Amino acid sequence: MSLQHQDHASSTDQRHGERPDGHRADDIDPFFVFDYVPLDGPDDRPPDGPRGPDSPDDGPTFTTYWDVEKGCRGPEPLPDWVITDSGALDTELGILKTGKEADVFLLERTAPDGTGVVMAAKRYRDLDHRSFRRSSDYTEGRTVRRSRDQRALARKSEWGRSVAAGQWAVAEWDALCRYWTAGLPVPYPVQLDGTEILMELIQYDDAPAPRLAQVRPGAGLLEEYFVQVRTAISVMAAEGVAHGDLSAYNILAAGERLVIIDLPQIVDLIANPNGPELLMRDCRNVCSWFQARGLDADPHELFEEVKPV
């Protein structure tokens, strides 16, 4: 038989379900047969590859959860809602709020199975684009992990300025991890990537929870709120630190539960000589808000109650 006839016979056999080896296609063991769905990355590009010319700048990107160092991923045990699948996609939804030293964006992380969660992405600005003042009041007594970074900070070199900008994100990350583990009402920290902290979005009625300053609780709830604030300040003081900038504007009201946010300026009550003064200011700020709503809240009594012995 010529080669042409052989090719024709092979094609005819395959059309009738018979393979060149004499077996029929339907004789394949079902164990070796499976269905699959091809998965493309966002914008059909590799994780670290460039976007195509027609790709949107704000399109989804692969999660960086497993790209950051172990110490930059949230503490155990992980809440059930945290998505750690390496194939998950992150999509920015827009800005939630602007602040003095950072902006907070909404970010949705979606797993390959369609499960998704919306989180808060807090991104610190560099030193040239921040309006935060008196930072030395909070950073006095604070150290960095590497000696060369400490020297760069002292020289105020370009690298030192970069380290200083990152200090705030690291300080808040450490505080969130520490206090979430201690059971304090703070958002769960998901990951730290450079100067961005990805954390739990505190919600109430399927919307971002309002600040305490925006709510008008009744007398009973007002008293319960004060108990929660007093307990939080006391636990932090027992840990040897003060929030440093606590007020009704950085406490979220999620129904009957209060959650403390904005912790980059956390101060050491022992190492920082400004510590006691900043703790007193925390007490004064929160008590003033409660007093304005009819609750008998004395800042000096609160300070004496919570200050470390």
Side-chain angles (χ1 to χ4, degrees):
M1 182 183 296
S2 68
L3 181 60
Q4 180 178 359
H5 288 161
Q6 289 178 356
D7 292 342
H8 175 74
S10 175
S11 299
T12 302
D13 290 341
Q14 292 179 27
R15 283 200 303 270
H16 289 284
E18 187 170 319
R19 303 186 324 205
D21 59 7
H23 294 283
R24 293 181 58 82
D26 53 10
D27 290 339
I28 298 176
D29 190 328
F31 178 80
F32 297 101
V33 179
F34 60 92
D35 295 326
Y36 73 96
V37 177
L39 295 178
D40 293 325
D43 306 326
D44 295 331
R45 62 189 172 89
D48 298 321
R51 295 179 181 271
D54 299 326
S55 302
D57 293 337
D58 57 351
T61 59
F62 280 109
T63 174
T64 58
Y65 184 81
W66 294 108
D67 296 334
V68 301
E69 298 178 3
K70 183 178 180 181
C72 295
R73 296 194 290 270
E76 299 283 353
L78 271 66
D80 294 339
W81 56 265
V82 177
I83 295 175
T84 62
D85 194 308
S86 59
L89 301 179
D90 291 347
T91 304
E92 189 171 305
L93 303 180
I95 193 165
L96 177 62
K97 73 165 188 171
T98 59
K100 293 174 292 187
E101 70 277 358
D103 298 318
V104 180
F105 296 79
L106 293 176
L107 184 141
E108 183 176 30
R109 176 164 291 172
T110 307
D113 64 1
T115 304
V117 62
V118 178
M119 297 173 287
K122 185 171 185 177
R123 298 169 187 165
Y124 280 86
R125 304 191 192 102
D126 60 39
L127 294 182
D128 295 328
H129 296 88
R130 289 171 45 204
S131 58
F132 194 54
R133 297 292 182 265
R134 300 174 62 235
S135 62
S136 60
D137 290 352
Y138 302 102
T139 58
E140 191 167 352
R142 186 182 293 177
T143 60
V144 295
R145 296 169 183 171
R146 297 188 299 183
S147 58
R148 74 183 186 94
D149 290 343
Q150 188 67 52
R151 292 193 297 270
L153 281 171
R155 292 195 303 268
K156 298 182 178 180
S157 63
E158 183 176 350
W159 173 249
R161 289 170 59 81
S162 176
V163 171
Q167 267 191 306
W168 293 96
V170 171
E172 180 158 25
W173 170 259
D174 289 343
L176 286 170
C177 291
R178 177 179 179 179
Y179 297 133
W180 187 88
T181 301
L184 273 167
V186 297
Y188 176 77
V190 177
Q191 69 181 69
L192 171 66
D193 189 359
T195 56
E196 177 189 86
I197 302 176
L198 198 58
M199 68 184 83
E200 175 186 5
L201 175 65
I202 305 302
Q203 301 187 75
Y204 180 65
D205 282 346
D206 296 326
R211 301 177 186 184
L212 180 60
Q214 298 173 291
V215 302
R216 296 294 180 267
L221 185 56
L222 188 69
E223 292 182 7
E224 172 58 27
Y225 278 171
F226 184 70
V227 171
Q228 292 183 42
V229 171
R230 182 178 62 198
T231 300
I233 295 176
S234 179
V235 171
M236 283 190 286
E239 292 274 334
V241 297
H243 183 283
D245 194 30
L246 192 62
S247 73
Y249 290 93
N250 46 35
I251 299 175
L252 300 179
E256 297 181 356
R257 180 174 71 105
L258 296 183
V259 179
I260 296 174
I261 59 172
D262 294 338
L263 298 163
Q265 68 290 314
I266 208 82
V267 293
D268 191 308
L269 292 175
I270 305 301
N272 190 326
N274 303 304
E277 177 187 347
L278 293 172
L279 175 60
M280 181 64 212
R281 192 175 72 179
D282 284 351
C283 294
R284 188 182 302 112
N285 286 343
V286 296
C287 285
S288 296
W289 187 86
F290 283 99
Q291 288 172 349
R293 281 146 189 82
L295 189 69
D296 183 15
D298 189 305
H300 297 283
E301 289 183 5
L302 179 58
F303 177 80
E304 291 298 323
E305 177 185 340
V306 302
K307 73 176 182 180
V309 177

